[in-house]
Amino acid sequence: MRTPRLALRAVGFVVVLWMLLHCGSELVTAVPPAGWYDYSAYTDCRGQPEPALYDGGILKFGNSDDPDGYRTTETGVFSPAFVVYNLNKTTMYTFSCWVKLEGASAALITARLAPDNTGARCIATVLARSDCWAFVKGGFVLDWPTQTSVIFFQNADKTPMKITVASGSLQPFTTDQWAMHQQDTIRKRRKRVATIHVADPQGARVVGASVSVQQTTKDFPIGSAIASTILGNQAYQQWFVDRFNAAVFEDELKWYSTEPASGYLRLDVPDQMLAFVRSHRVMVRGHNIFWENQDATPRWVKNLTSPDDLRNAVNTRIQSLMTRYRGEFAHWDVNNEMLHYNFYEQRLGPNASMEFFSVAQDADPLATLFMNEYNVIETCDDPFSTVDTYVAKLKELRTGGAILEGIGLEGHFSKPNIPLMRAILDKLATLGLPIWFTEIDISNKFDAQTQAAYLEQVLREAYSHPAVSGVMLWTALHPSGCYQMCLTDWNLNNLPTGDVVDRLLNEWRTLQAGGLTDAHGAYSFSGFLGEYILTVSYNNRTTQSTFSLSPGDETRHINVQM
């Protein structure tokens, strides 16, 4: 007898009919979208579900005030299903609902989409509970239109339980609408309107003065990983500083690089790299103090059999590294990838990470301390790093007393699911912490043009999301290439990905603006946040000054006296 998983892989109209006969299902046909994107999200479990976003969108599934809006099933394999007709290719679909369990205190529930005769794909996950309602948010884009699709819920470990779903919503957006939402957020969060007022010493308005503004630095950090290959390579250094205002060292700060044998410290290379970024006013992230992956742990550390010896070694590592570089690194990834690995937790106990954060905070109180993890934003198929799992770990650390101030999302993408990416950012944003993309690249299994296209999708979504505070690419250049994705060849000739980055960097800065003051002696413009040089000329007189555009909803007013 075929298992439900095998049946699901061959899902087609038989499965659709099964769903219709055995589940509380809604049949809907896709209609043109309406309204604006709703960034609402919840990571706290609630006594009652909130009303459906977009009034259900094309599902019209009901809300918390409508008992008919609830759907329940007795199995954890197939569950309340939505059968949806005529979904469109390339349309951005955002999906949300609320879930509650019976028969288990908690479980990882996956929302899956099964279009026509193709296999099911994950579109959202949630850590659901029996004592309250948990919020699901995700989404998808189809590669081709489908006549019939099924959205259903699946218990990850197949334990029988009762799943109840409420306030379901499926809202479509065209690609133009999605881009319009991105541009609107950029206008509100990454730019600000400024008015230059020009007057003479008596306060009279100066009409017709020539005003020119030029951006000199950008407020939003966009950077890349660098490696020791940048040292002594002036062409590479110039290429880097012409583009980026942030950096992270690829491997040079990791424990296996700085202390390959006990007590044998090698810090000359990171010292030189730090001098390079410092000399060019580039902010730099510290990556990393510890890495839970035992394969990335120095051999001599793995050979420490005594917990006391290991604890002494890790405390020495934190103190030596952070005392030497106190105040130099804006961020530290304290314990890398602890959702997937547990080398230190196994040997030092479940509170090891909390101790790491506490000691690191004492050693460098000005640094922002981060969790950093992969497959949180890239996919929802990894059960170890779902968005709710990440949120739960963050809350656990903070409840335990860890001073944890930043959310790191690595961003090693295959084919990106942009609606899912936005939904995950929405949920992470509820924590009120800075969110950074720390290691963005696109898998090298794709050709160069596809890599570039996917990179542009990811960068546009990351830059435009209101909760994102910075973006780092994982593109440290080596003679043999890069980890997964390069921006140039070794001779610094742009690859398609490099063309994308250059184009976006130019798009996201105020190259130059200018004009004449109006009848009120004023000139206004909308500029990207950052530092500016202001030049005003009138009747053979010229004055120059500087000003900054910092985040704010109000118009920034600058007064100039000629």
Side-chain angles (χ1 to χ4, degrees):
M1 179 178 177
R2 295 201 305 175
T3 65
R5 178 180 291 274
L6 292 175
L8 182 58
R9 288 175 179 170
V11 68
F13 288 104
V14 173
V15 175
V16 171
L17 289 173
W18 190 95
M19 294 282 192
L20 294 174
L21 292 171
H22 293 81
C23 301
S25 305
E26 291 289 326
L27 278 76
V28 292
T29 299
V31 296
W36 205 251
Y37 182 82
D38 191 334
Y39 287 96
S40 298
Y42 311 88
T43 51
D44 56 327
C45 216
R46 301 203 165 188
Q48 292 295 327
E50 296 290 329
L53 299 184
Y54 312 105
D55 194 28
I58 61 175
L59 293 184
K60 302 299 181 187
F61 186 47
N63 55 47
S64 58
D65 299 321
D66 176 11
D68 293 332
Y70 293 83
R71 295 293 184 270
T72 303
T73 183
E74 298 290 342
T75 174
V77 178
F78 292 120
S79 67
F82 307 98
V83 181
V84 188
Y85 291 149
N86 301 325
L87 295 182
N88 299 315
K89 176 183 177 181
T90 71
T91 296
M92 305 285 193
Y93 290 96
T94 180
F95 174 74
S96 61
C97 67
W98 292 79
V99 172
K100 188 176 182 181
L101 305 178
E102 290 184 34
S105 59
L108 175 61
I109 303 298
T110 301
R112 294 191 174 275
L113 173 75
D116 287 346
N117 292 310
T118 60
R121 56 184 288 196
C122 176
I123 62 170
T125 58
V126 69
L127 287 177
R129 289 164 47 180
S130 60
D131 59 340
C132 57
W133 291 87
F135 184 64
V136 182
K137 194 171 190 183
F140 59 91
V141 179
L142 295 175
D143 294 324
W144 52 83
T146 64
Q147 292 183 339
T148 307
S149 297
V150 179
I151 297 174
F152 64 98
F153 300 85
Q154 193 172 41
N155 173 24
D157 64 7
K158 308 299 189 298
T159 303
M161 65 182 63
K162 184 180 291 185
I163 301 174
T164 303
V165 177
S167 300
S169 172
L170 183 65
Q171 178 66 29
F173 296 99
T174 66
T175 53
D176 287 343
Q177 287 173 321
W178 200 268
M180 181 175 61
H181 300 161
Q182 290 176 335
Q183 289 301 316
D184 185 67
T185 301
I186 289 172
R187 177 182 62 81
K188 292 176 179 177
R189 300 300 181 101
R190 311 298 181 210
K191 302 180 76 175
R192 188 171 177 181
V193 174
T195 296
I196 315 296
H197 302 273
V198 183
D200 65 17
Q202 290 71 44
R205 300 164 177 162
V206 177
V207 178
S210 175
V211 178
S212 173
V213 294
Q214 184 173 8
Q215 188 174 17
T216 56
T217 64
K218 294 175 289 187
D219 182 71
F220 188 88
I222 299 178
S224 171
I226 55 174
S228 59
T229 52
I230 203 167
L231 297 176
N233 189 334
Q234 292 186 355
Y236 184 13
Q237 292 179 7
Q238 191 61 51
W239 175 91
F240 185 90
V241 298
D242 283 346
R243 288 162 175 78
F244 301 122
N245 60 357
V248 61
F249 301 168
E250 185 179 45
D251 289 313
E252 286 75 9
L253 277 175
K254 292 170 183 170
W255 201 356
Y256 57 71
S257 296
T258 61
E259 194 176 5
S262 179
Y264 175 51
L265 296 179
R266 297 193 310 190
L267 297 169
D268 55 317
V269 171
D271 284 350
Q272 294 175 58
M273 295 172 69
L274 188 57
F276 160 68
V277 297
R278 190 191 301 123
S279 68
H280 292 282
R281 299 190 302 165
V282 173
M283 71 86 69
V284 61
R285 304 190 72 250
H287 177 76
N288 51 55
I289 303 175
F290 298 110
W291 194 348
E292 282 286 355
N293 185 352
Q294 70 170 4
D295 292 338
T297 303
R299 182 176 300 176
W300 68 269
V301 175
K302 289 189 285 188
N303 290 337
L304 297 174
T305 56
S306 164
D308 289 339
D309 290 342
L310 179 58
R311 184 169 282 103
N312 288 335
V314 299
N315 285 335
T316 301
R317 159 71 173 172
I318 299 177
Q319 293 290 353
S320 63
L321 192 68
M322 300 195 71
T323 300
R324 182 185 187 94
Y325 296 121
R326 182 184 174 100
E328 297 277 11
F329 292 93
H331 302 164
W332 277 105
D333 295 328
V334 176
N335 195 11
N336 205 44
E337 298 175 355
M338 37 181 164
L339 296 182
H340 285 91
Y341 308 105
N342 61 352
F343 173 81
Y344 297 101
E345 302 280 348
Q346 279 188 332
R347 288 155 180 78
L348 298 176
N351 294 326
S353 293
M354 280 184 256
E355 293 173 11
F356 294 167
F357 277 93
S358 177
V359 175
Q361 174 67 20
D362 290 341
D364 191 350
L366 297 181
T368 302
L369 306 184
F370 274 71
M371 265 189 74
N372 192 48
E373 193 57 73
Y374 70 92
N375 277 355
V376 178
I377 198 73
E378 299 95 322
T379 180
C380 60
D381 277 317
D382 188 339
F384 295 103
S385 54
T386 67
V387 60
D388 283 11
T389 306
Y390 198 10
V391 168
K393 187 64 175 180
L394 286 163
K395 289 181 176 180
E396 174 191 321
L397 288 168
R398 295 174 79 179
T399 300
I403 307 298
L404 197 155
E405 302 161 311
I407 299 172
L409 303 170
E410 292 185 14
H412 296 294
F413 287 89
S414 184
K415 182 177 180 179
N417 178 349
I418 298 302
L420 174 66
M421 178 178 168
R422 184 179 291 186
I424 289 171
L425 289 171
D426 293 347
K427 292 194 76 172
L428 291 173
T430 63
L431 298 178
L433 295 172
I435 298 174
W436 276 65
F437 283 81
T438 58
E439 305 179 18
I440 288 178
D441 60 18
I442 305 296
S443 171
N444 60 16
K445 71 181 181 181
F446 301 110
D447 62 69
Q449 294 297 336
T450 303
Q451 266 191 326
Y454 290 165
L455 177 63
E456 180 167 357
Q457 291 177 19
V458 169
L459 290 179
R460 287 192 180 278
E461 189 60 41
Y463 183 74
S464 65
H465 197 282
V468 174
S469 298
V471 168
M472 304 292 290
L473 298 161
W474 202 248
T475 50
L477 187 60
H478 301 268
S480 58
C482 306
Y483 173 68
Q484 287 285 327
M485 182 190 79
C486 287
L487 302 181
T488 72
D489 61 22
W490 181 243
N491 296 316
L492 302 177
N493 298 309
N494 263 13
L495 301 171
T497 49
D499 288 337
V500 164
V501 170
D502 283 351
R503 176 159 41 83
L504 293 179
L505 288 174
N506 282 328
E507 181 180 325
W508 295 335
R509 69 175 179 176
T510 308
L511 293 173
Q512 191 164 2
L516 300 178
T517 55
D518 60 18
H520 300 280
Y523 168 77
S524 299
F525 77 103
S526 176
F528 286 91
L529 303 181
E531 300 293 323
Y532 285 80
I533 292 176
L534 167 63
T535 304
V536 180
S537 300
Y538 184 74
N539 283 348
N540 297 321
R541 287 175 294 165
T542 298
T543 182
Q544 194 170 79
S545 59
T546 61
F547 68 93
S548 63
L549 288 183
S550 55
D553 296 328
E554 297 179 344
T555 300
R556 171 85 157 88
H557 292 272
I558 300 104
N559 293 295
V560 177
Q561 185 182 95
M562 292 298 295

